[in-house]
Amino acid sequence: MENNMSSEMIQVETSISDEMLAELFLSQVMRDFKKGKILEEIDQCLKSKDKETFLRLTDKLKSVF
């Protein structure tokens, strides 16, 4: 019985670790996606010489990190 209990605890710990890893992965993917979109918008601002939007987006980019 004690061995079974230990096995169940290992499974729970593994499950929690897997869940945390998945959350970290998704968080990083979302951050990378947001960063990419902001960088695309910044590129457009540079092309159109829109300084005000450029400054706003660069501040927004800093907050993504």
Side-chain angles (χ1 to χ4, degrees):
M1 178 157 173
E2 188 173 311
N3 192 7
N4 190 23
M5 187 78 131
S6 176
S7 176
E8 288 176 13
M9 288 185 69
I10 290 171
Q11 287 175 339
V12 168
E13 288 175 8
T14 301
S15 178
I16 291 171
S17 295
D18 289 347
E19 183 177 327
M20 288 172 51
L21 184 60
E23 286 180 21
L24 287 171
F25 175 76
L26 288 173
S27 178
Q28 183 64 46
V29 168
M30 289 299 297
R31 205 170 17 258
D32 290 347
F33 177 78
K34 287 178 184 178
K35 179 182 170 186
K37 294 303 266 182
I38 294 169
L39 289 172
E40 287 176 12
E41 291 180 54
I42 287 173
D43 285 344
Q44 289 299 321
C45 290
L46 289 171
K47 288 177 185 174
S48 65
K49 299 179 182 178
D50 183 351
K51 183 178 179 179
E52 185 178 313
T53 305
F54 171 81
L55 293 173
R56 182 180 54 79
L57 288 170
T58 54
D59 283 341
K60 188 175 179 181
L61 183 62
K62 291 175 190 174
S63 73
V64 172
F65 291 103

